[in-house]
C-alpha cells in the first residue's frame, strides 16, 4: 500500500470522492449522448426543412410551365376563355419566379448547384415565351395559337421542364446524403461513448483500488 496516495485520507472521504467522480463521469456521458442526439435531430430537421421546401419550390415552377401548356390548349379547344387563361397563367408564373428565387436560397450539393445554374437561362427563355403567350391571350390574338403553341411555346418550355425533373430527383439524392451523414455521426458518437464508458470504468476501478 506504499503506492496508495490516499492512505492518509479518511475512508469516508475516499468513498464520497469515488461516488462524486462516478456521478460526474455519468453526467458527462449523459450530456455527450444528449448532444449527439440533438445533432442527429438537427440533421434530420435540416433535411426535412431544406429538401422538402426545395422540392416544393421546384415543383411549383414545373407546375407553372405545365399550366401554360394546358391552359393554352384549353383556349384552342374553346374549353377556357382567353382572359381566364391569362389570369391563371400569370398568377402561376409570378409565383414560380418567387419559388425559384426561394429555391436558390437553399443549400445545394455541387451537382445540384451546377444544374440549377444551367436551368436559370432555360427558365428565362420559357418565361419569355409565356410572356408572349400572355400578350396573345390578353389581346385575344389566338387565331394562330394552336400552331404557335406547338412550334414555339412547347419547345421553349421543354428543356427547362426536363431540368426541373432532374432537380426534383436530386432532392432525394441530397436527402439520402444528409441521412448517411447523420448515420455516420451516430456511429462515431456510439464509438466515442463506448470508449468513454470503458475509460470511466477503468478510472473508477483504479480509484476504488
Amino acid at each position: 500500500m506504499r503506492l496508495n496516495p490516499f492512505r492518509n485520507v479518511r475512508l469516508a472521504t475516499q468513498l464520497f470522492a469515488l461516488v462524486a467522480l462516478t456521478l460526474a463521469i455519468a453526467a458527462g456521458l449523459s450530456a455527450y449522448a444528449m448532444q449527439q442526439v440533438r445533432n442527429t435531430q438537427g440533421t434530420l430537421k435540416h433535411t426535412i426543412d431544406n429538401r422538402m421546401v426545395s422540392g416544393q419550390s421546384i415543383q411549383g415552377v414545373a407546375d407553372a410551365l405545365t399550366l401554360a401548356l394546358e391552359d393554352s390548349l384549353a383556349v384552342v379547344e374553346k374549353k377556357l376563355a382567353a382572359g381566364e387563361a391569362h389570369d391563371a397563367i400569370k398568377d402561376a408564373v409570378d409565383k414560380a419566379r418567387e419559388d425559384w428565387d426561394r429555391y436558390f436560397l437553399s443549400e445545394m450539393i455541387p451537382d445540384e448547384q451546377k444544374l440549377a445554374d444551367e436551368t436559370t437561362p432555360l427558365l428565362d427563355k420559357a418565361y419569355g415565351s409565356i410572356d408572349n403567350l400572355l400578350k396573345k391571350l390578353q389581346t385575344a390574338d389566338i387565331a394562330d395559337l394552336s400552331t404557335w403553341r406547338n412550334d414555339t411555346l412547347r419547345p421553349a418550355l421543354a428543356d427547362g421542364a426536363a431540368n426541373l425533373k432532374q432537380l426534383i430527383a436530386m432532392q432525394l439524392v441530397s436527402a439520402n446524403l444528409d441521412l448517411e451523414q447523420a448515420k455516420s455521426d451516430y456511429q462515431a458518437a456510439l464509438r466515442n461513448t463506448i470508449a468513454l464508458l470503458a475509460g470511466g470504468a477503468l478510472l473508477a476501478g483504479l480509484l476504488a483500488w
Side-chain angles (χ1 to χ4, degrees), residues 30-178:
S30 297
Y32 178 80
M34 290 300 297
Q35 181 61 40
Q36 296 307 310
V37 170
R38 283 194 291 269
N39 290 341
T40 301
Q41 289 176 337
T43 300
L44 294 175
K45 184 177 185 301
H46 169 78
T47 298
I48 293 172
D49 292 346
N50 189 57
R51 297 305 167 190
M52 182 175 292
V53 171
S54 295
Q56 290 174 344
S57 297
I58 299 170
Q59 188 62 56
V61 179
D63 290 344
L65 302 187
T66 300
L67 181 67
L69 285 174
E70 291 179 347
D71 280 12
S72 60
L73 178 61
V75 171
V76 171
E77 296 177 345
K78 301 187 184 304
K79 296 179 180 179
L80 188 65
E84 294 177 1
H86 171 276
D87 293 343
I89 295 172
K90 186 177 186 305
D91 289 343
V93 171
D94 288 343
K95 182 178 181 301
R97 294 179 190 270
E98 295 176 0
D99 285 338
W100 190 248
D101 290 339
R102 182 164 52 251
Y103 167 59
F104 259 83
L105 297 176
S106 64
E107 294 183 16
M108 304 182 194
I109 60 176
D111 288 345
E112 180 184 6
Q113 181 70 62
K114 179 181 178 182
L115 183 59
D117 291 338
E118 293 173 355
T119 303
T120 297
L122 298 178
L123 290 179
D124 290 339
K125 177 183 177 182
Y127 292 148
S129 292
I130 292 176
D131 288 341
N132 290 333
L133 170 64
L134 292 175
K135 292 177 182 177
K136 287 179 174 291
L137 295 175
Q138 188 174 27
T139 59
D141 179 20
I142 57 175
D144 65 338
L145 182 58
S146 178
T147 301
W148 181 86
R149 175 181 176 277
N150 292 326
D151 295 344
T152 303
L153 180 62
R154 185 186 293 277
L157 306 187
D159 291 338
N163 278 23
L164 291 174
K165 289 182 179 179
Q166 294 183 55
L167 287 171
I168 291 173
M170 277 189 176
Q171 301 313 301
L172 179 59
V173 174
S174 300
N176 286 334
L177 289 176
D178 290 341

